[in-house]
C-alpha cells in the first residue's frame, strides 16, 4: 500500500459516494417503474476489481455503502444496500474468476444479484412473498443498467490500467 | 474500444430475458380481479377493506408522524399521500388484481388484493 494507491482509492470512494448521492436525488428514469436506479457507483467497484485485487474492491464497496446509507437513508437503508451489495459482490467476484463472461456480463450479473439481494431482504423484513412479482421487472432493468455500467467500467479500466500498473 | 463479448454473456442475456418475459406474462394471465384490499404494516395484517365501496383510509405505521393515505375508488386501491421520502408508493398505478401490490418500504406498509377464495374475511377496521 503506497501513498499513490491510497490517494487513488480515497478519490474513487469519494466519486462512488457522489454517484450514489446523485442517483438518490434524481427522479426515477422510468416513471412507470419507480425505484429503478442506475447504480453508477458500481462502475467504480467493478473497475477496481479488474485493476486491483478483490480485497480493494470489496473494501471500497462496503465503505461507500455504509457511508452513503448512513448519510442519506438511515439504518434500514443500510441493511437493504448491504444485502444487495454483498451478494452482488460475491457474484461479481466469482463471475470474473470463471472467465466465462466479459466485463459486461459480470456487470449484468452484479446488477441482477444486487436486485435479488435487496428484494429478498424486503421479503424477509416485510414477511410478504407477493413482492416476488417485482422480480421480472427488476431483472430487465438489471440487464439494461448492468450493460451500461459494464460499458462505462470497460472505459475506466482501459484508461486507468497503465496508471495503476505503475504502483500495484 | 474493441468489443469482446464472450459466449457466457450471450447465454446470460438470453436466459435473463426469457425468464423476465415469462415472469411478466404468466402472472398477467393468472391474475384474478380481487374484491378485498388487505393492508399490512410491518408484516402484520392491519385492515381488510372491500374494494366495492369508495373509501379513504389513513394509516399511521408507527407512533410518529408518518402516515400513508390509502384511497379506494372505482374498485381500485392506491396511495394518495405519504410521508416517506421517495414517494414511490404514491407514484404506483392503482391496483385491483390479486397479483398486484403497492409497497411503501420506508413506512413498511403493503397493500395487497384478496379475492373471494380467501377463507378469512372478518372485520373491517378504520
Amino acid at each position: 500500500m503506497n501513498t499513490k494507491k491510497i490517494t487513488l482509492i480515497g478519490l474513487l470512494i469519494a466519486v462512488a459516494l457522489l454517484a450514489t448521492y446523485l442517483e438518490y436525488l434524481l427522479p426515477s428514469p422510468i416513471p412507470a417503474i419507480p425505484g429503478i436506479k442506475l447504480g453508477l457507483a458500481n462502475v467504480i467497484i467493478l473497475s477496481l476489481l479488474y485493476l486491483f485485487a478483490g480485497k480493494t474492491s470489496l473494501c471500497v464497496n462496503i465503505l461507500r455503502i455504509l457511508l452513503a446509507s448512513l448519510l442519506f437513508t438511515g439504518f434500514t437503508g443500510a441493511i437493504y444496500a448491504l444485502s444487495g451489495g454483498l451478494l452482488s459482490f460475491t457474484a461479481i467476484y466469482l463471475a470474473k474468476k470463471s472467465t466465462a463472461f466479459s466485463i459486461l456480463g459480470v456487470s449484468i450479473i452484479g446488477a441482477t444479484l444486487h436486485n435479488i439481494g435487496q428484494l429478498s431482504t424486503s421479503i424477509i423484513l416485510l414477511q410478504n412473498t407477493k413482492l416476488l412479482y417485482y422480480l421480472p421487472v427488476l431483472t430487465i432493468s438489471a440487464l439494461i443498467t448492468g450493460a451500461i455500467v459494464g460499458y462505462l467500467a470497460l472505459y475506466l479500466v482501459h484508461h486507468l490500467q497503465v496508471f495503476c500498473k505503475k504502483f500495484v | 474500444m474493441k468489443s469482446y463479448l464472450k459466449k457466457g454473456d450471450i447465454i446470460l442475456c438470453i436466459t435473463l430475458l426469457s425468464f423476465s418475459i415469462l415472469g411478466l406474462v404468466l402472472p398477467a394471465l393468472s391474475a384474478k380481479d380481487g374484491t378485498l384490499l388487505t393492508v399490512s404494516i410491518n408484516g402484520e395484517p392491519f385492515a381488510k377493506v372491500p374494494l366495492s365501496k369508495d373509501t379513504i383510509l389513513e394509516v399511521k405505521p408507527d407512533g410518529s408522524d408518518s402516515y400513508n393515505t390509502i384511497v379506494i375508488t372505482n374498485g381500485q386501491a392506491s396511495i394518495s399521500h405519504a410521508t416517506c421520502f421517495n414517494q414511490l408508493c404514491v407514484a404506483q398505478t392503482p391496483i385491483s388484481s390479486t397479483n398486484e401490490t403497492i409497497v411503501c418500504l420506508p413506512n413498511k406498509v403493503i397493500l395487497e388484493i384478496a379475492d373471494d377464495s380467501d377463507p378469512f374475511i372478518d372485520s373491517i377496521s378504520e
Side-chain angles (χ1 to χ4, degrees), chain A residues 122-168:
Chain A
S122 62
I123 291 179
I124 294 176
L125 283 183
L126 295 172
Q127 296 159 20
N128 186 328
T129 49
K130 272 196 175 174
L131 293 177
L132 270 178
Y133 282 115
Y134 282 117
L135 189 58
V137 175
L138 289 183
T139 309
I140 293 184
S141 115
L143 255 176
I144 302 175
T145 58
I148 298 177
V149 166
Y151 196 67
L152 290 173
L154 185 63
Y155 250 105
L156 195 59
V157 170
H158 177 80
H159 286 287
L160 281 184
Q161 234 164 15
V162 175
F163 177 68
C164 290
K165 278 211 165 51
K166 286 192 204 150
F167 56 79
V168 138

Side-chain angles (χ1 to χ4, degrees), chain A residues 24 34-35 76 80 99-105 108-109 112 122 125-128 130-131 133-137 139-140 143 151 154-155 158, chain B residues 1-2 4-9 12-13 16-17 19-20 23-24 27 42-44 85 88 91-92 98-99 101-103 105 108 110 112-113:
Chain A
Y24 181 72
T76 329
Y80 282 107
T99 66
F101 305 99
S102 72
I103 197 172
L104 289 172
I108 292 179
I109 290 180
T112 317
S122 62
L125 283 183
L126 295 172
Q127 296 159 20
N128 186 328
K130 272 196 175 174
L131 293 177
Y133 282 115
Y134 282 117
L135 189 58
V137 175
T139 309
I140 293 184
L143 255 176
Y151 196 67
L154 185 63
Y155 250 105
H158 177 80
Chain B
M1 214 74 284
K2 49 186 188 319
Y4 56 36
L5 283 181
K6 296 197 184 166
K7 201 161 57 147
D9 297 331
L12 176 73
C13 289
L16 286 180
L17 253 176
F19 166 80
S20 309
L24 284 176
N42 212 358
E44 308 289 325
F85 175 87
L88 295 180
Q92 291 267 31
T98 50
N99 289 337
T101 55
I102 295 185
V103 178
L105 275 179
K108 303 199 171 87
I110 303 186
E112 303 172 72
I113 308 284

Side-chain angles (χ1 to χ4, degrees), chain B residues 45-88:
Chain B
F46 172 78
K48 299 187 195 352
V49 189
L51 285 176
S52 43
K53 259 194 311 206
D54 286 1
T55 327
I56 298 183
L57 177 62
E58 190 163 294
V59 167
K60 288 195 195 318
D62 45 38
S64 71
D65 288 331
S66 59
Y67 66 87
N68 295 73
T69 310
I70 303 171
V71 172
I72 300 182
T73 50
N74 287 335
Q76 297 182 312
S78 58
I79 295 185
S80 63
H81 294 95
T83 52
C84 55
F85 175 87
N86 53 31
Q87 296 286 298
L88 295 180

Side-chain angles (χ1 to χ4, degrees), chain A residues 1 21 26 30 33 47 51 71 78 101 123 150:
Chain A
M1 252 303 182
Y21 184 52
L26 290 176
I30 309 175
I33 312 168
S47 308
L51 290 170
L71 277 176
F101 305 99
I123 291 179

Side-chain angles (χ1 to χ4, degrees), chain A residues 48-133:
Chain A
L48 278 176
L49 190 63
Y50 278 78
L51 290 170
F52 296 112
K55 278 188 305 193
T56 314
S57 179
L58 182 62
C59 275
V60 171
N61 200 15
I62 295 182
L63 277 173
R64 68 105 191 167
I65 287 179
L66 286 178
L67 280 171
S69 48
L70 292 178
L71 277 176
F72 310 133
T73 49
F75 187 65
T76 329
I79 298 190
Y80 282 107
L82 267 178
S83 65
L86 290 178
L87 186 64
S88 98
F89 186 82
T90 318
I92 287 180
Y93 186 73
L94 293 172
K96 173 172 178 277
K97 251 194 163 175
S98 80
T99 66
F101 305 99
S102 72
I103 197 172
L104 289 172
V106 171
S107 170
I108 292 179
I109 290 180
T112 317
L113 269 116
H114 191 105
N115 282 339
I116 292 181
Q118 291 193 305
L119 192 60
S120 313
T121 312
S122 62
I123 291 179
I124 294 176
L125 283 183
L126 295 172
Q127 296 159 20
N128 186 328
T129 49
K130 272 196 175 174
L131 293 177
L132 270 178
Y133 282 115

